[in-house]
Amino acid sequence: MPPEPAPAAARRAVSPLDHRIEAVTGHDVDTLWAFRDRGVLDEPHARLVDRHRALARAQTSVTFYLKLLNRLSSGEFPVDTAWFERVDRAVHQMEEAADERDAAARKVLAALEPIEAATAAPARGEETLTTDDQAALLAIAGGAKLYEHLLTGRLSVTVASGTRIPYAEVRKLEDAGLVVRDTGHPLHAGQPVALTAAGRAALFAARRAPTTTQVPKPPARPGAWPSTPARRR
């Protein structure tokens, strides 16, 4: 009898809670996972995604052992002592995997329900981010530094992609409490700029809101920040 196959590498599995997560956040699960990796989620949503990942891994294990049992019962193998031992072992492993999945699902619910309650509550005093504000926050989330040109004294923020954001745009976000600079570093060496918790929450809320139709902007020159306002027809 061939050896038991090892579980495959962890991949996102669909869980019964996926539709609730997607409904309350306005994003599919794959997008939420990508946002988590980029650091643009606030703490409650980051915790939800981390727990959903654990649930997905547990669900993958349950699916693996279920497929193993289906294969063992397909008639492919002779029904002998080794077969009974293998079935017993697979059933025991699937029971353990199911227990882990159920525990992971309870943790997801514990993180999900407060978000659902907060979403159902009426929002007060929220300011709408402009398209440029959203683009700037998303770019800064990937890593950014504020530099001062040694000759001209001009300030600008360079993000991980190499694009520069005008300092006036970053200063506006800083005044709004959406980004923060690490002033412990000298400007000529670059002061790291990062999103605050409020910035992550505002960005996430803006990106889950319904999109509106906009007139396409003219293409910007390479390395320039896309801040040219769209003209209405």
Side-chain angles (χ1 to χ4, degrees):
M1 185 176 294
E4 295 180 5
R11 296 178 59 186
R12 186 181 74 82
V14 176
S15 78
L17 296 174
D18 284 8
H19 71 284
R20 286 179 60 178
I21 294 173
E22 293 172 350
V24 75
T25 62
H27 296 288
D28 60 60
V29 171
D30 289 326
T31 300
L32 290 171
W33 283 30
F35 283 169
R36 178 67 176 102
D37 292 337
R38 296 183 64 177
V40 301
L41 298 181
D42 58 10
E43 195 274 336
H45 287 88
R47 184 191 310 117
L48 173 63
V49 171
D50 289 343
R51 292 184 178 182
H52 182 267
R53 279 177 162 163
L55 174 59
R57 289 191 296 269
Q59 181 62 49
T60 299
S61 296
V62 171
T63 302
F64 168 78
Y65 291 115
L66 181 60
K67 289 181 178 179
L68 177 59
L69 285 171
N70 287 336
R71 183 185 175 198
L72 289 171
S73 62
S74 66
E76 178 182 351
F77 306 106
V79 180
D80 53 15
T81 301
W83 181 85
F84 282 108
E85 291 176 350
R86 195 173 182 189
V87 169
D88 287 342
R89 184 165 61 252
V91 169
H92 177 67
Q93 290 169 328
M94 193 167 90
E95 287 177 342
E96 291 182 338
D99 288 342
E100 291 179 3
R101 178 204 57 195
D102 294 344
R106 289 192 292 270
K107 291 181 179 179
V108 170
L109 280 172
L112 176 60
E113 289 173 349
I115 295 175
E116 289 178 328
T119 302
R124 296 177 297 177
E126 291 186 356
E127 296 184 0
T128 302
L129 293 177
T130 67
T131 302
D132 285 348
D133 290 341
Q134 294 180 42
L137 289 173
L138 191 59
I140 291 171
K145 286 187 176 182
L146 173 66
Y147 292 95
E148 180 181 31
H149 195 283
L150 291 177
L151 297 180
T152 65
R154 185 176 181 180
L155 297 173
S156 66
V157 172
T158 302
V159 299
S161 65
T163 301
R164 290 184 175 87
I165 305 175
Y167 177 64
E169 173 74 16
V170 177
R171 180 60 184 272
K172 180 180 70 171
L173 298 174
E174 187 177 19
D175 290 343
L178 303 179
V179 301
V180 63
R181 287 185 291 132
D182 184 353
T183 56
H185 293 72
L187 278 171
H188 69 270
Q191 291 182 346
V193 181
L195 301 188
T196 63
R200 289 190 293 271
L203 176 60
F204 186 78
R207 292 181 67 83
R208 71 180 292 270
T211 57
T212 57
T213 303
Q214 297 182 351
V215 178
K217 295 183 180 181
R221 55 186 174 82
W225 182 247
S227 57
T228 304
R231 293 179 297 176
R232 300 184 181 276
R233 297 181 183 276

